[in-house]
Amino acid sequence: MDRRDFIKTCGTVAVASMIDASFFSQALAQQKDGMFQAYKKALLVKQDGTPLKEEDIKPHASYIFFYPHASTPCYLLNLGEAVQPAEIKLKDGKSYQWGGGVGSKKSIVAYSAICAHQWSYPTPQYSFINYYPPDTPSETTKKAGIIQCCAHLALYDPKAGGSVIDGPADFPLASIVLQEEGGNFYAVGVLGRDQFQQFFDNYRTELRQQYGSTAKARELVDKCIVMEVDKYVQAVVRC
Amino acid sequence: MSKQWSGVNRRELIGGAVAFGLTAPLMAYAKLQKRQKAQVVVVGGGYGGVTTAKYLKKENPNLDVVLIEERPFFMSCPMSNHFLTGLMELTPLCFSYNVLETRYGVRVINDKILGVELDKKAVRTSSGYIAYDYLVLSPGIDYDVEDKPFYKDSLVYNPPAFKPGSEHIYLKRLIEDFEVGDILITVPPPPYRCPPAPYERAALIASMIKKNKLKAHIYFIDANERPIINSEGFLSAYYDLYKDIATYITSAQVRDIDVHKRMVKTSHGDFKYDLANIIPPMKANSLLEKTGLLRKGQKWVEVNPLTFESSVKNVFVIGDACQSYLPKSGYAAHSEGKMVAKIINARMKGKEVKEEYLQMICYAMVSDKEAIMTETAFRYDTVSKRFVPTHREDNQRKESTAKRYEEWARGLWRDLFS
């Protein structure tokens, strides 16, 4: 283990140890495979700045927040029922353990909203990648309870760690590891293959326009404002 | 200060000889024979070639990958109808091949390919031979006009704009200059590059005429009985939006073209035009005839549908030039490129992979704001040993589909060049 790996592992240990013992050991194993990355612990807050509570997260509504970077969008979903931990298998043979839902009903999950296929993401103008609740199936694929990207029809399962259900994506959506402490929610890291480097490479111009500089877009956050997707995105494009 | 002859080192001497075209082929070939690593040569810098080269290096950075392309930069044919009709500038459609070199280490050679010598496992360019262990041919199409000489003049006067580059720029100029009169657009029988493209082009030109209130009429002459894809969506758009300014003539064969009299003779009568976009029949790029992979009488190269390998081991033909179960489109070529990159990388490790799922998505504008789309997922059935398609069409024209179309294209470009 070189110095850099040692420091990264210490960071992971520091964050993971604040979560729970089982996650602690899992996270260490997964970091070894490059499947978990700890970031700044960030409190999820409402638009008024007060901490987001479980009752604020309506079942099957879509919420957006930005983590771990100021510009990287994530979806927060209350799937309405307990979501069990799962082993997520990748096409390259690797796998990782996804911890399932959090909250009193274990129903709250969060995923990176950057499509693992060709990096479509919700902007203030459009979102092509969206959550389809159980009562609102996709017109195109007729599937419900999914996250679907309308550009190339990549389909992900929010109840199974964001794994690929159908379509062209090679990897699941990266999941955001959430921790609940005293009724507050924190994001603490990213599990799975994140797409952040490609995201920054692809959208340099757009991010400069929106955030002033790529450095600002890449800033790590310690607080995440959570809002309904409709309030952030002008046109939610469903298909 | 200029260098003295005595100061020219061996490398420069060889370089000079190459420049004069004296010893290039033999020396370059001899030099490449000393390679320590396997080398993959990719011919053609379109959707298929760029994807293959990039993904070969992405999955195996130590591999030597050479991409040979004559054009100095990439231009996307998908979305080019937007450019022709003023919905998009040319700039977003164009990309530099340099990204492949700087980010992935693909060696990009901007050169003309003179032939492929399968027995020597070498590609012959105007600068010399380049040896390969694996060869991926993705050279695209040619216009199939040899036995229809009347098309030849038309290619100059009425650019088809189905090959990226100058044809699009010239056709755009002709469209911009057009003010009044009859416009003629013809569609060849399939297979041709991008099945919805002529239908989309006709709709967008009609939409432009309406928007600009031009005194014009379009004669849209189709060799087919109906639009060969999304027929319901296209026909309803033509009927609802353009009935007063366009006439759609089906099952009509082009029999002669007089570019000086500006007239096209068809099986359904003669048509004079003031502006024409005559799209000729197509076939695989003539390079494939020179290699012997495209036999006499064939228009497309037959390949193994599971691997896109030609009749010659480790020589793959992808994109519009091959005959497969997939349509001829940039999206298909992109998928084939990814698949072939995986197969070659696996084969080098002594493994075999077979991609058993492929998906095609096509969008088409039917007005300047609305689009329709189609999706076909192909899954390999191990019992019947064939790919089984699941086809879905959304023929209801929507602005949201037009937005998806743009994101679809931008996603592809991101994947190719980032």
Side-chain angles (χ1 to χ4, degrees), chain B residues 226-227 230-240 248 250:
Chain B
R226 61 179 69 84
N230 282 105
S231 58
E232 189 190 320
F234 280 117
L235 289 173
S236 108
Y238 297 159
Y239 187 81
D240 295 346
Y248 181 41
T250 59

Side-chain angles (χ1 to χ4, degrees), chain A residues 120 126 152 166 202-203, chain B residues 359 379 403-404 407 414 418:
Chain A
S120 195
Y126 298 105
H152 306 98
D166 206 351
N202 282 321
Y203 297 109
Chain B
Q359 173 223 37
R379 283 185 175 76
K403 295 294 176 198
R404 289 170 59 199
E407 181 62 14
R414 285 194 291 269
S418 67

